[in-house]
Amino acid sequence: MAEQQDQQDPQDPVAAAAESGSESEDGEDGERRHRRLLEAISALSGRKRRKLAERSEAGGQVSEFNVTCKGAGEKLVLSELLKPIRPKSALSSVRKELARVKRKAAVELPLSKEEAKRVVREAAYVTTSKDVGKWQQVVLQNRRSEQLVFPLRQDIPTVTPLERVTSAWKARTPLEQEIFGLLHKTQQPITDPLLTPEETASLKAMSLEENKGKWARSRAIMAKYDLEARKAMQEQLARNKELMQKVQVEPPEEEPCEVPEEDTGAVAIPTGVSTANPWMLGKPSAPAPEPEAQEGPRDGTVPGAAESKEEMEEEEEEELSEEEALLQDFEQKRQARQERAGSPEGHGAGETEASAERPGDSPIPPFCAEEPVSTGLEPPPQAQEQLLLSEQLHRVQTMEDVEGLAKEEPVEEQEKPVAPRAGKQVQQQKERTAGDRHAEKTTDKKKMISLEAVLDGKPQEMDCPSLPVVVEEEEGGIDQRGMITEAFAGDDVVADFQREKRKAEEAAKPQPVNLVLPGWGEWGGTGLRPSTKKVKRFLLKPPPAPPRKDQHMPHVIISEKRNIHAAAHQVSELPFPFERHQQFEQSIRTPVGTTWNTQRAFQKLTAPRVVTRAGHIIQPISAEDVPDTAPGSGASPREEALPQRQAPSRRRPHRKAR
Amino acid sequence: MRVKILSRNPDDYVRETKLDLQRVPRNYDPALHPFEVPREYTRALNATKLERVFAKPFLSSLDGHRDGVNCMAKHPKSLSTVLSGACDGEVKIWNLTRRQCVRTIQAHEGFVRGMCARFCGTSFFTVGDDKTVKQWKMESPEYGEEEEPIHTILGKTVYTGIDHHWKEPVFATCGHQVDIWDEQRTSPKCSLTWGFDSISSVKFNPIETYLLGSCASDRNIVLYDMRKSTPLKKVILNMRTNTLCWNPMEAFIFTAANEDYNLYTFDMRYLESPVMVHMDHVSAVLDVDYSPTGKEFVSASFDKSIRIFPVDKGHSREVYHTKRMQHVITVKWTSDNKYILCGSDEMNIRLWKANASEKLGVLAPREKAAMNYNQKLKEKFQFHPQIRRIAQHRHLPKSIYCQIKEQRIMREARRRKELNRRKHSKPGSVPFVSERKKHIVAVVK
């Protein structure tokens, strides 16, 4: 073994050298050895084999599969000298390839048809559900929204400005043409009702940019030379700008009550009118003071540039013809019209404001805070197991039947199996809410009492608007009183009540607790009483009760005990969407009706969840209905206000009627 | 002598025109309006009682068919038109305002299996037991003209259902496979198959119109994508689904009417468990249709009643039945959200109000305000026992009533058994399975 190793050891460097040397050389060496070995073997066998003639010379064809004499008949090329000394054998790449192929496993079989289909399906499902998922925001929005108006795509009635309407209109009848002729003659506004040509002319005159006013023109010329004139002109320019701005801004401000989001409570108070006796002017409603208010600031320009104004007025007076009276008449009418035109404009402004506010709008409208029922408390769906209907075999057709129903004990409540956990919760709830129940009870108690309160004698006193009626009433009243006293001669209601109250007071007093045990520590037996000392010691006196609430009310008994009759109308456990009893109580406490709310608040509170229009086909929702959530863009806060925007637009007509 | 007189602003009480509303001076001081809760409670109670008294949902019955009504279709453009197909191959077009049949066609031999109107409302398609798909004009033929279909396609197998695309001239039929047809061609544009059982119903999604849903008799619901002409996913339920309906306002929600008396609302993105299980019927549910607002749907059942379910509630809010109404096979909710039509075995189509106590016709503004107020009050006091008791009361025929009772007992027994089994076996070996998961066998990708 050692020898072998020794033999091998010197071989190893050789082999290594051979390996590191050119591989073709190595191959040649191996071949030679192999041939020698074959010769040796054939010699061993004894029988002489015919030797194949073998060519050992360099052949004409140079092939890598044959033995060659290197470099025979080859020309030396310069480029070869530049190559690396030991160029890569041409076979090496093939060998590498071979090794790689050997290493590699067999090619996988193509997917089965089923598998391939499945992959396609899965991919398609993923993309499709992603496509569909873009509706998520819209859906959530619609589910949460306070009000949905269907059909979704409806042409919201827009208020077209008067100018646009009048521009389309043309005079046809002779009367109309005559009037139009007159208007033309006097240069009254035909299409634009808000400004007469004179007004526009004066405005233009005041603006320096146009350089049309005589004064301005002359001043402009003067300004080149005179510093003072320049100053005056600049002042005038600034003033004009101010005025122009006011003119533009004022119309929407004129009627703050028209802005849809605001409360109607604040009504614009006329500013220009003296408050001494404003309404005794003969007219039921005085012409709105806006024109004065508008004219006020215009006049205010006068002190600034008094002379210039005068000049202008002179100019204007020249323009004014003899039909001055007529003009003034027109003016008045126009102002009235301006007022009226103000309201649609106000609407328009309100709308734009609303739309501008939309992105920032909180999704929950203000009145939600009062009402936990309608807030976003989305019931977790598991808790919806409760039946919505109690199905019975008998029909309910008349009011009496219905009333009979109400008195019945709710059947499903008995059948409902109460889960132990739920029971515990309810107990806890009860403990927690014990105090708050009182409040509820009192309200119900009040309600019970209310009937008696109504039966009080007060209305009799109130029904006496005028003198003769009073006399008659008195006469009748005496008779009635006499009759009543006669009828109820026997019973003394007041005394009865007082007795009842005393009884209630007695009952409500806390009783002492007797803990005396006879026989302990002393003799016991029949006929023996515990000693007074002991009684004194073990008879526990409770602390005195707090003063009664009806202490100072002789006609009232306030009892805070549970009343069975009232309990039939009370909610015994916290209903589902509410998390705390306070929420629920608040939702009940807030009145909805017109008796307690303004008209607008009432409308807001009672707005139905879904509004549909009779005879209108409701198409399925489409991407056009929610333009902002067009595919891919996901949710945009803008459309959160979509249903809310529709609501006020629907209600606009009501506001106009005043 | 000084005389004191009242001085009032005429603006406060004089109307500008006589058409203006009278100004009613009001004092909102809460001290002057005490007992608001009891007063509103009384109003709510009265409103609830009146609602029950006025709850008369049945409007009319359209009779004229000579066999059970098997399918119906809404006219996409006209509210007053409805189409119905009967089991004897007859198709009738009804005018709802006159409550009359305006046209009768002998469309097929054997059942009219399915029908649908084209989205433009100019024509409609029917499929029948005679392996044909026929397209008909919506208008009746001229005088002397033959009553003939515009197109007839003869198929190889029976078609059991048909639905039209909502925007394009494409329709889908189902039978042995789901075929999607171009209106201009006589061979299907593509055929979608998955499994080998017969498909009972196919429906296009009204919002994402390339989506299709179908239900087959091997208890599964399959969704397809028309663009890629491939099925998407399959849910296998415990029992067969008869038909399904997509929510017209929520693209990914659909409801399936199942043989196991329940309806299942699915979100197509999460088919592993339904969003809601709607249970109240006592027999197989045969048809379902969404209200156009997408908030509710109506279901027709073999138990001779129709029920209205809110989408997010597990139980019905309303049940309609009459003595004469037999197994209800088909039901539709009209496109104005006001009425419900149901076709039943005993050859009648019945027209119901969707809101049982609603007053029909135009309401004056004050009426409308009062209605809204009452509605709000009912909603506000809905948890109070007396009001709830009245609002929930419904009359049921004895058969349904008894069946409900029976099923309640059965359910209770099953529950008890499971409870006992859980009690007496190794903890964790009997898992809790929620009601929603219980009915789903598998989801196949």
Side-chain angles (χ1 to χ4, degrees), chain A residues 216-331:
Chain A
R217 223 173 294 156
S218 62
R219 278 284 162 179
I221 296 161
M222 278 170 69
K224 281 182 184 172
Y225 312 102
D226 192 5
L227 197 87
E228 219 171 88
R230 207 181 293 167
K231 218 186 244 174
M233 221 156 64
Q234 276 172 353
E235 201 179 15
Q236 181 67 17
L237 193 65
R239 210 166 274 279
N240 180 36
K241 216 181 222 173
E242 254 179 47
L243 269 179
M244 289 292 282
Q245 276 174 351
K246 268 184 193 167
V247 166
Q248 282 163 4
V249 170
E250 260 168 354
E253 280 181 355
E254 278 170 4
E255 296 178 23
C257 58
E258 296 294 338
V259 180
E261 300 306 320
E262 252 120 352
D263 209 333
T264 38
V267 179
I269 300 160
T271 48
V273 185
S274 68
T275 50
N277 196 1
W279 44 75
M280 285 308 170
L281 298 172
K283 281 185 191 174
S285 61
E290 274 95 343
E292 288 173 33
Q294 273 191 345
E295 278 171 341
R298 206 180 296 158
D299 293 340
T301 57
V302 177
E307 0 134 86
S308 65
K309 181 75 186 173
E310 275 169 19
E311 279 175 12
M312 262 168 33
E313 275 175 2
E314 277 171 15
E315 281 176 25
E316 278 176 17
E317 271 174 70
E318 283 169 15
E319 282 174 22
L320 285 177
S321 62
E322 63 280 339
E323 297 158 343
E324 210 169 348
L326 191 68
L327 267 179
Q328 277 174 356
D329 197 33
F330 275 133
E331 187 115 350

Side-chain angles (χ1 to χ4, degrees), chain A residues 125 135-136 284 392 569, chain B residues 11 41 208 268-269 380 394:
Chain A
Y125 178 74
W135 289 97
Q136 175 76 15
Q392 302 292 324
H569 295 271
Chain B
D11 276 356
Y41 173 80
E208 295 295 337
M268 70 153 278
R269 298 167 300 167
K380 183 179 165 186
R394 293 292 181 285

Side-chain angles (χ1 to χ4, degrees), chain A residues 102-352:
Chain A
K102 272 182 184 168
R103 243 184 286 127
K104 212 174 175 184
V107 178
E108 283 172 33
L109 285 171
L111 280 176
S112 71
K113 209 174 169 187
E114 280 298 306
E115 284 284 305
K117 273 186 181 171
R118 204 188 116 183
V119 170
V120 170
R121 280 197 302 257
E122 264 178 63
Y125 178 74
V126 168
T127 52
T128 311
S129 48
K130 199 183 279 175
D131 281 358
V132 169
K134 78 188 174 207
W135 289 97
Q136 175 76 15
Q137 281 305 317
V138 180
V139 166
L140 285 184
Q141 169 58 37
N142 281 351
R143 281 186 196 163
R144 254 185 269 128
S145 69
E146 285 298 319
Q147 190 177 49
L148 281 176
V149 182
F150 293 101
L152 288 175
R153 209 180 318 156
Q154 49 189 316
D155 25 317
I156 298 158
T158 49
V159 182
T160 45
L162 197 59
E163 298 93 81
R164 216 175 294 161
V165 177
T166 48
S167 65
W169 186 77
K170 273 180 182 164
R172 287 205 187 81
T173 61
L175 178 66
E176 281 169 3
Q177 278 162 357
E178 201 177 316
I179 289 170
F180 258 65
L182 195 64
L183 286 173
H184 269 295
K185 209 172 162 190
T186 58
Q187 293 189 321
Q188 281 295 312
I190 294 158
T191 52
D192 181 9
L194 298 181
L195 286 178
T196 57
E198 286 91 68
E199 280 167 350
T200 46
S202 71
L203 279 174
K204 268 182 188 170
M206 283 200 285
S207 82
L208 258 189
E209 293 162 52
E210 292 294 314
N211 268 338
K212 281 200 177 146
K214 264 187 203 170
W215 174 84
R217 223 173 294 156
S218 62
R219 278 284 162 179
I221 296 161
M222 278 170 69
K224 281 182 184 172
Y225 312 102
D226 192 5
L227 197 87
E228 219 171 88
R230 207 181 293 167
K231 218 186 244 174
M233 221 156 64
Q234 276 172 353
E235 201 179 15
Q236 181 67 17
L237 193 65
R239 210 166 274 279
N240 180 36
K241 216 181 222 173
E242 254 179 47
L243 269 179
M244 289 292 282
Q245 276 174 351
K246 268 184 193 167
V247 166
Q248 282 163 4
V249 170
E250 260 168 354
E253 280 181 355
E254 278 170 4
E255 296 178 23
C257 58
E258 296 294 338
V259 180
E261 300 306 320
E262 252 120 352
D263 209 333
T264 38
V267 179
I269 300 160
T271 48
V273 185
S274 68
T275 50
N277 196 1
W279 44 75
M280 285 308 170
L281 298 172
K283 281 185 191 174
S285 61
E290 274 95 343
E292 288 173 33
Q294 273 191 345
E295 278 171 341
R298 206 180 296 158
D299 293 340
T301 57
V302 177
E307 0 134 86
S308 65
K309 181 75 186 173
E310 275 169 19
E311 279 175 12
M312 262 168 33
E313 275 175 2
E314 277 171 15
E315 281 176 25
E316 278 176 17
E317 271 174 70
E318 283 169 15
E319 282 174 22
L320 285 177
S321 62
E322 63 280 339
E323 297 158 343
E324 210 169 348
L326 191 68
L327 267 179
Q328 277 174 356
D329 197 33
F330 275 133
E331 187 115 350
Q332 272 189 353
K333 277 181 189 170
R334 197 181 60 249
Q335 273 162 0
R337 203 163 32 166
Q338 268 181 341
E339 269 175 62
R340 256 175 276 136
S343 60
E345 271 176 36
H347 280 308
E351 252 181 350
T352 50

Side-chain angles (χ1 to χ4, degrees), chain B residues 240-296:
Chain B
R240 194 176 93 118
T241 301
N242 284 316
T243 181
L244 58 84
C245 186
W246 293 91
N247 190 325
M249 290 294 150
E250 302 177 358
F252 37 77
I253 301 286
F254 66 89
T255 298
N258 205 287
E259 283 279 323
D260 65 358
Y261 315 166
N262 295 341
L263 292 120
Y264 301 97
T265 298
F266 283 96
D267 186 330
M268 70 153 278
R269 298 167 300 167
Y270 317 104
L271 291 171
E272 286 72 26
S273 78
V275 180
M276 187 57 74
V277 181
H278 310 271
M279 29 184 29
D280 257 353
H281 278 298
V282 286
S283 195
V285 190
L286 298 181
D287 199 10
V288 59
D289 193 33
Y290 262 93
S291 82
T293 60
K295 299 275 178 205
E296 290 173 328

Side-chain angles (χ1 to χ4, degrees), chain A residues 16-36:
Chain A
E19 269 175 20
S20 64
S22 84
E23 289 179 33
S24 59
E25 236 179 45
D26 184 30
E28 279 175 5
D29 200 33
E31 262 178 31
R32 220 185 308 136
R33 263 195 249 162
H34 181 68
R35 217 180 305 131
R36 227 182 286 154

Side-chain angles (χ1 to χ4, degrees), chain A residues 118 120-122 124-125 127-129 131-136 139 142-143 148 150 152 279-280 284-285 371 373 381-382 384-399 402-403 405-413 415 443 446-447 450 568-571 575-578 584 587-599 602 605-606 608-610 612 614-622 658, chain B residues 7-11 14 16 20 23 26 28 33-41 43 46 49-50 52-53 76-79 166-167 194 206-208 210-211 225 227-228 230-233 248-253 268-271 276 280 292-293 295 307 310 312-319 321 335-338 369 372-373 376 379-381 383-386 388-390 392-398 401 404 408 436 445:
Chain A
R118 204 188 116 183
V120 170
R121 280 197 302 257
E122 264 178 63
Y125 178 74
T127 52
T128 311
S129 48
D131 281 358
V132 169
K134 78 188 174 207
W135 289 97
Q136 175 76 15
V139 166
N142 281 351
R143 281 186 196 163
L148 281 176
F150 293 101
L152 288 175
W279 44 75
M280 285 308 170
S285 61
E371 270 198 315
V373 198
Q382 299 97 320
Q384 292 294 343
E385 290 306 308
Q386 213 178 24
L387 284 176
L388 293 181
L389 301 179
S390 68
E391 289 145 347
Q392 302 292 324
L393 279 176
H394 59 273
R395 277 182 198 278
V396 162
Q397 279 164 330
T398 60
M399 257 334 229
V402 171
E403 267 160 31
L405 261 189
K407 278 160 198 158
E408 265 177 46
E409 273 292 300
V411 182
E412 75 279 1
E413 275 187 347
E415 286 167 357
T443 59
K446 267 184 206 166
K447 186 190 68 202
S450 71
H569 295 271
Q570 282 173 334
V571 180
F576 164 62
F578 299 100
F584 177 62
S587 81
I588 295 296
R589 209 179 297 139
T590 320
V592 186
T594 34
T595 324
W596 299 275
N597 293 299
T598 58
Q599 186 64 23
F602 171 74
L605 285 171
T606 60
R609 281 286 172 85
V610 173
T612 56
H616 282 250
I617 292 176
I618 301 169
Q619 297 288 358
I621 196 168
S622 65
R658 44 175 174 140
Chain B
S7 160
R8 291 212 174 103
N9 185 348
D11 276 356
V14 176
E16 284 184 16
D20 278 355
R23 225 172 248 266
R26 290 293 324 276
Y28 289 107
H33 307 287
F35 302 123
E36 59 264 12
V37 176
R39 282 165 79 185
E40 288 215 320
Y41 173 80
R43 286 179 199 177
N46 288 338
K49 285 175 185 173
L50 286 176
R52 282 295 91 213
V53 169
K77 299 284 174 195
S78 155
L79 279 173
W166 288 78
K167 279 166 190 159
W194 191 358
I207 307 168
E208 295 295 337
Y210 51 82
L211 267 177
D225 191 332
R227 299 173 299 180
K228 292 160 192 143
T230 169
L232 298 176
K233 222 172 200 181
M249 290 294 150
E250 302 177 358
F252 37 77
I253 301 286
M268 70 153 278
R269 298 167 300 167
Y270 317 104
L271 291 171
M276 187 57 74
D280 257 353
T293 60
K295 299 275 178 205
R307 281 180 186 267
D312 53 349
K313 297 268 160 60
H315 289 279
S316 59
R317 76 153 170 87
E318 199 67 76
V319 54
H321 59 87
S335 323
D336 60 349
N337 196 35
K338 283 254 187 298
N372 288 344
Y373 180 44
K376 187 72 194 176
E379 196 182 307
K380 183 179 165 186
F381 289 99
F383 302 110
H384 288 246
Q386 292 216 343
R388 196 176 55 198
R389 179 78 191 86
I390 296 169
Q392 286 183 350
H393 178 88
R394 293 292 181 285
H395 167 255
L396 273 187
K398 198 172 180 187
Y401 183 78
I404 287 177
R408 194 187 297 139
R436 294 184 198 169
K445 281 180 186 169

